Amino acid sequence: GIAIVWMGSVISLLIIYFNLQNAKITRDPLTGINNRRRFESFMEYKLRNRNSKSTLYLLMIDIDNFKQINDRFGHLAGDAALAAVAQAIKENVRTGDDVVRFGGDEFFVLFKDMPNEILLRKLEKILHAVERVRLEEYPELRVTVSIGGAYDRGKLSQILRKADIAMYKAKGRRNSICIYED
């Protein structure tokens, strides 16, 4: 009986260890949200395993003038801004929506099957939530984002390209939202 208990304990510890390692590989350590590696595999899975009527919406969210934040306030302020923006985004999406730090100061959000009116309200909530971000250590720091969105029933590369085009249009106006239209 003791051998079985030991074997079960070892297997349980290995499972815990592998889960912890997987979390380290797929989580951004600064913001605590998913990273690019997790996003790409998750997105491919969602595209492969959806029904024909299902629509995926991809948002690209970019912090406006992020380099200036780092230059003026320092990199620790930039890190604090990244974490605060990630939190503001997470608090304004549904539980099943995937929030990702894609790299640098860019975040992605993946929505599934959301009516356009609700999607636009959700985007405005995110925009305003980020505007309200205040960092105790840096009281003069104000953060805004530009949001580009797209939907597609096709390949990951098509959705990314469309969302990227929309995001750069929004960046031209700063602190705004732009949805890609075919």
Side-chain angles (χ1 to χ4, degrees):
I2 293 177
I4 292 173
V5 170
W6 275 101
M7 189 62 91
S9 298
V10 168
I11 290 171
S12 296
L13 288 174
L14 282 172
I15 290 170
I16 292 169
Y17 174 78
F18 287 131
N19 283 333
L20 289 173
Q21 291 304 312
N22 186 48
K24 280 185 176 181
I25 292 170
T26 60
R27 293 256 176 222
D28 176 57
L30 180 64
T31 62
I33 61 176
N34 292 325
N35 64 16
R36 184 176 185 158
R37 177 177 295 164
R38 169 78 167 95
F39 167 78
E40 288 172 349
S41 64
F42 186 71
M43 183 76 168
E44 289 295 340
Y45 171 80
K46 287 261 189 182
L47 286 169
R48 272 194 320 270
N49 296 304
R50 65 189 164 143
N51 64 42
S52 60
K53 295 179 182 177
S54 185
T55 302
L56 294 177
Y57 294 87
L58 176 65
L59 303 181
M60 291 179 121
I61 303 172
D62 191 83
I63 298 177
D64 295 328
N65 302 314
F66 186 69
K67 183 181 179 334
Q68 292 174 358
I69 291 172
N70 281 334
D71 291 348
R72 180 173 173 207
F73 297 98
H75 288 88
L76 290 177
D79 288 350
L82 286 167
V85 168
Q87 187 63 35
I89 295 168
K90 277 178 25 180
E91 289 173 356
N92 287 284
V93 297
R94 300 174 300 190
T95 303
D97 298 329
D98 197 31
V99 179
V100 174
R101 180 172 175 210
F102 197 70
D105 63 327
E106 289 186 340
F107 298 89
F108 284 7
V109 181
L110 184 63
F111 292 105
K112 185 178 176 191
D113 296 330
M114 184 180 291
N116 286 342
E117 313 80 50
I118 295 173
L119 178 67
L120 286 172
R121 280 197 303 260
K122 185 102 19 208
L123 298 180
E124 288 172 357
K125 281 178 68 176
I126 291 170
L127 198 71
H128 296 306
V130 172
E131 286 176 337
R132 289 189 304 272
V133 165
R134 297 295 179 263
L135 302 173
E136 194 174 299
E137 309 85 30
Y138 310 97
E140 309 95 44
L141 177 62
R142 298 294 178 260
V143 182
T144 61
V145 293
S146 297
I147 303 173
Y151 65 92
D152 201 295
R153 292 184 172 93
K155 297 180 181 177
L156 173 59
S157 61
Q158 292 170 330
I159 299 171
L160 285 171
R161 182 184 61 78
K162 290 177 180 180
D164 196 41
I165 290 168
M167 194 266 303
Y168 275 100
K169 274 189 177 176
K171 283 225 50 98
R173 296 186 300 242
R174 301 276 186 239
N175 197 34
S176 65
I177 300 165
C178 182
I179 304 296
Y180 183 91
E181 298 286 334
D182 285 324

